[in-house]
Amino acid sequence: MESKQLVAELKTKLGEANFTFTFDEKHDKLRLEHKKIGRGMDISLPEILTKYETKKQQAIDEVIYTIEQTFLAMQQEEEKGFGGLASVYPIIRSTSFPKKSNDGHAFVMTDHTAETRIYYALDLGTTYRLIDESMLPKLNVTEEHIREAARFSVKKLPTSVKRDEVSGNIYYFLNQNDGYDASRILNESFLKEMESQIEGEMTVSVPHQDVLIIGDIRNEVGYDVLAQMTMHFFTVGAVPITSLSFVYENGHLEPIFILAKNKVKKEQEEK
């Protein structure tokens, strides 16, 4: 499928009654404007086409759903305003994720790891809205209020996991499909609880938004399996975060490749 075909498909699925479509061939992107609420969004076409190669129609269905839910959230915001802090949750994103909204307002963010950053969202039921600085006066809160509310909210999310064993290594998968699976990496009590069950080295992975993987790595094969697993999830995820896994030790997350380099350096120094 080519960009023009994808634009035609989106027009058919979304309909031109509610949206104005502007196709920028030079930059290979599509601008969507909602006629009723007067707001819009830019869509990068190459990203969707790449996913289409492996996921086919599912890739298009996913972007249609995201577009519809995003504009629904915008419409609810226009009509009802924002909800309270009880609906604020933390969102994990890659450090390459935009720091500003389409309107140019800086998102409320917190540093996390070298690979990930924490954003904050207002839960709207079937979707959520990332919180930017322009929303703080409307909510009558500070950035710290947002962070505190998010820390509290993430602890209330369910943390049931599924267990799998491969070559003597144990992998636990958290996949509630509530939009906040990766956010559980911020639930310190959950991570400590899992750590108490781990016999080998504990790893934590957030390849995309809708999964968190905890590894009990007991041999070298375990790392190879983990690397292949996270790369697969990273590739197929609707909102990829990072294919890199972290070692969890003493309450800290450290990227595996950095840890490996440090171990080599330490061994060399000891010699």
Side-chain angles (χ1 to χ4, degrees), residues 149-180:
R151 282 193 291 268
F152 181 76
S153 294
V154 78
K155 293 176 182 178
K156 298 187 295 181
L157 296 171
T159 53
S160 58
V161 295
K162 293 181 179 179
R163 183 182 184 275
D164 193 13
E165 182 173 348
V166 183
S167 301
N169 302 277
I170 312 299
Y171 302 93
Y172 300 92
F173 299 86
L174 196 156
N175 180 221
Q176 298 286 335
N177 276 321
D178 56 11
Y180 307 106

Side-chain angles (χ1 to χ4, degrees), residues 39-61:
R39 295 172 65 178
M41 65 186 295
D42 293 318
I43 300 170
S44 175
L45 301 177
E47 293 177 15
I48 303 170
L49 293 172
T50 298
K51 290 180 181 178
Y52 181 81
E53 292 178 8
T54 55
K55 302 173 78 171
K56 302 303 179 184
Q57 186 60 40
Q58 184 184 345
I60 296 176
D61 291 342

Side-chain angles (χ1 to χ4, degrees), residues 69-86:
Q69 294 303 315
T70 299
F71 280 110
L72 177 61
M74 289 181 183
Q75 192 165 349
Q76 289 178 350
E77 177 188 323
E78 293 284 336
E79 296 172 355
K80 303 176 183 178
F82 301 116
L85 289 179

Side-chain angles (χ1 to χ4, degrees), residues 5-74:
Q5 293 173 295
L6 176 57
V7 171
E9 179 81 3
L10 293 176
K11 284 184 177 181
T12 300
K13 295 283 185 181
L14 292 168
E16 296 184 67
N18 295 320
F19 298 99
T20 298
F21 297 80
T22 306
F23 177 31
D24 183 347
E25 291 190 55
K26 181 179 179 181
H27 298 99
D28 209 7
K29 67 180 182 180
L30 176 67
R31 175 70 181 175
L32 269 179
E33 294 280 349
H34 195 287
K35 294 179 180 179
K36 182 178 179 181
I37 61 178
R39 295 172 65 178
M41 65 186 295
D42 293 318
I43 300 170
S44 175
L45 301 177
E47 293 177 15
I48 303 170
L49 293 172
T50 298
K51 290 180 181 178
Y52 181 81
E53 292 178 8
T54 55
K55 302 173 78 171
K56 302 303 179 184
Q57 186 60 40
Q58 184 184 345
I60 296 176
D61 291 342
E62 286 176 356
V63 75
I64 292 292
Y65 178 80
T66 301
I67 290 169
E68 289 178 338
Q69 294 303 315
T70 299
F71 280 110
L72 177 61
M74 289 181 183

Side-chain angles (χ1 to χ4, degrees), residues 1 14 21 26 49 55 90 101 113 121 132 139 160 173 176-177 182 193 199 204 212 217-218 222 232 247 262 271:
M1 178 179 284
L14 292 168
F21 297 80
K26 181 179 179 181
L49 293 172
K55 302 173 78 171
S101 68
T113 72
D132 61 53
L139 288 163
S160 58
F173 299 86
Q176 298 286 335
N177 276 321
E193 180 186 340
E199 294 182 16
V204 184
L212 182 142
I217 309 300
R218 303 179 182 182
H232 169 72
V247 169
N262 289 344
K271 290 178 181 179

